[in-house]
Amino acid sequence: MRENLDLIRQSARDFAQTHIKPNFMEWDETQHFPVDLMHKMGELGFLGVLVPEKYQGAGLGYQEYISIIEEIAKVCGSIGLSVAAHNSLCTGHILSFGNEEQKSKYLPLLATGKWIGSWGLTEANTGSDAIRMQCVAHPDGDDWVINGTKTWITHGKSSNVTVVIARTGELLDSKGMTAFIVERGTPGFSAGKKENKLGMRASETAEMIFENCRIPKSQVLGNVGEGFIQAMKVLDGGRISIAALGLGIAKGAYEAAVRYSQERQQFGQAIAQFQGISFKLTDMAVKIEAAELLTRQAADMKERGLKMTKEAAMAKYYASEISVEVATDAVQIFGGYGYTKDFPVEKFYRDSKLCTIGEGTSEIQKLVIAREALKA
């Protein structure tokens, strides 16, 4: 198991160094989403990590998945985010709740990277409060017709297929929402505004607009009314991937800070020799170790089929928060150079913040953790 994990980690590391590192700053500056890179990652199995081999996936587990995201995020958080969103949200939702016909049709395309996936839950006025969503779907003969807008959608413009959750019942009814698979090119389905972001700039974030978008009833995922419940289960797994993303960003920032502190000379010695810097590096290392243990514990429970809502929320909350802390300290260790785009830590700093917001804010994770803890 360990040997297999090391091989997969090395494969992701080599890919990141060869195909991502030479271009990541240009992509960041221009907000370019590298679709061709996604196709390449699909060929290596990075976009179907958890998908069984019968659907042309890699057939791996969550420990391998964490390692792949982590190694990519150590070089570029944006690409790590796109890998995480593609795997755990769109692909993961179809894998978990699709029928055999849906899985056979979509999973091979998504797992091989021939198609890029997106997932639509969030709306402009209903971020964490998803139960008040305004995007609606109503039945019409043998079809469903969807109307509404989804915002902050990773790959909202470039995805070939999306899983969208729309309200099919009464407002505030947790059983009043349904998940649908919608292909790009379906009349009435279009992309809206692309967001101009602080960080994660090479990972596309855009609106998805549905205007009398008509799809057959065969595109319903699971049963009508199960969409919200499905989404909450998908997010449990998604939180592990965001924890892995935060962990990778933290490791990238930490490793850059260690190298710089050993090279940078002040007052006749490397700055790593000063207690103020060495203690800062110590705190960074301890936080990273704790975040990894929490993340891998949640992954282990997920793989064993255990309930891990609390553990996934803990991993996501802690890993994302320490990602920001470690990146902040890395910029401080670099001093003035850390504030320039000539060194990578300013990008880790900008990218890290998204981890505390996406797929449930840190505040929402605290609510989840508290709710689960108080059940005991």
Side-chain angles (χ1 to χ4, degrees), residues 284-296:
M284 294 160 78
V286 172
K287 289 173 183 176
I288 288 169
E289 192 76 13
E292 179 150 21
L293 289 169
L294 281 169
T295 305
R296 293 200 178 274

Side-chain angles (χ1 to χ4, degrees), residues 168-190:
T168 52
E170 295 299 317
L171 194 67
L172 305 182
D173 181 3
S174 63
K175 295 181 180 178
M177 284 159 278
T178 303
F180 301 91
I181 304 173
V182 185
E183 294 182 21
R184 187 71 61 182
T186 302
F189 174 34
S190 62

Side-chain angles (χ1 to χ4, degrees), residues 111-139:
T112 58
K114 290 175 183 172
W115 277 21
I116 295 169
S118 61
W119 192 74
L121 177 66
T122 305
E123 298 178 10
N125 296 313
T126 58
S128 300
D129 190 14
I131 205 165
R132 296 178 193 269
M133 67 173 57
Q134 298 300 307
C135 182
V136 297
H138 68 268

Side-chain angles (χ1 to χ4, degrees), residues 63-335:
Q63 301 297 341
E64 292 88 349
Y65 180 41
I66 288 169
S67 296
I68 290 168
I69 293 175
E70 180 194 313
E71 288 299 330
I72 291 171
K74 279 166 68 173
V75 174
C76 180
S78 294
I79 307 304
L81 173 60
S82 282
V83 171
H86 178 96
N87 273 284
S88 67
L89 298 181
C90 180
T91 306
H93 199 143
I94 295 171
L95 177 62
S96 296
F97 298 103
N99 58 38
E100 188 55 40
E101 183 180 348
Q102 290 166 338
K103 289 194 281 191
S104 296
K105 179 178 180 179
Y106 293 109
L107 290 180
L109 292 167
L110 289 162
T112 58
K114 290 175 183 172
W115 277 21
I116 295 169
S118 61
W119 192 74
L121 177 66
T122 305
E123 298 178 10
N125 296 313
T126 58
S128 300
D129 190 14
I131 205 165
R132 296 178 193 269
M133 67 173 57
Q134 298 300 307
C135 182
V136 297
H138 68 268
D140 184 15
D142 291 331
D143 299 331
W144 283 88
V145 179
I146 306 174
N147 280 285
T149 301
K150 296 293 181 178
T151 55
W152 303 107
I153 308 304
T154 304
H155 311 149
K157 188 175 180 180
S158 296
S159 58
N160 303 92
V161 64
T162 191
V163 172
V164 61
I165 294 88
R167 186 158 56 82
T168 52
E170 295 299 317
L171 194 67
L172 305 182
D173 181 3
S174 63
K175 295 181 180 178
M177 284 159 278
T178 303
F180 301 91
I181 304 173
V182 185
E183 294 182 21
R184 187 71 61 182
T186 302
F189 174 34
S190 62
K193 175 190 174 187
K194 179 179 175 180
E195 301 296 341
N196 185 8
K197 299 176 297 182
L198 167 73
M200 300 292 193
R201 290 167 60 82
S203 180
E204 175 187 278
T205 305
E207 290 179 325
M208 295 193 304
I209 300 169
F210 300 89
E211 298 175 293
N212 293 320
C213 179
R214 182 177 292 271
I215 56 171
K217 287 185 175 177
S218 60
Q219 296 303 94
V220 172
L221 260 173
N223 296 317
V224 172
E226 291 181 348
F228 182 76
I229 296 154
Q230 291 175 9
M232 294 304 102
K233 291 179 180 176
V234 168
L235 284 173
D236 274 350
R239 284 167 182 156
I240 296 173
S241 65
I242 298 300
L245 179 64
L247 179 63
I249 291 170
K251 284 189 176 182
Y254 170 73
E255 290 174 9
V258 168
R259 286 193 300 270
Y260 183 81
S261 69
Q262 292 172 329
E263 295 166 359
R264 173 70 165 168
Q265 297 278 323
Q266 289 288 277
F267 305 102
Q269 61 181 331
I271 63 171
Q273 301 303 311
F274 292 101
Q275 190 178 76
I277 300 297
S278 65
F279 279 14
K280 198 178 287 289
L281 290 168
T282 298
D283 288 340
M284 294 160 78
V286 172
K287 289 173 183 176
I288 288 169
E289 192 76 13
E292 179 150 21
L293 289 169
L294 281 169
T295 305
R296 293 200 178 274
Q297 172 189 248
D300 178 64
M301 293 176 71
K302 173 77 172 173
E303 286 189 325
R304 289 191 286 138
L306 302 175
K307 187 176 188 296
M308 49 75 193
T309 300
K310 180 179 72 174
E311 289 75 13
M314 283 180 168
K316 197 272 187 189
Y317 166 60
Y318 187 75
S320 60
E321 288 292 334
I322 69 98
S323 182
V324 174
E325 293 170 12
V326 169
T328 301
D329 284 343
V331 171
Q332 194 70 19
I333 288 170
F334 271 74

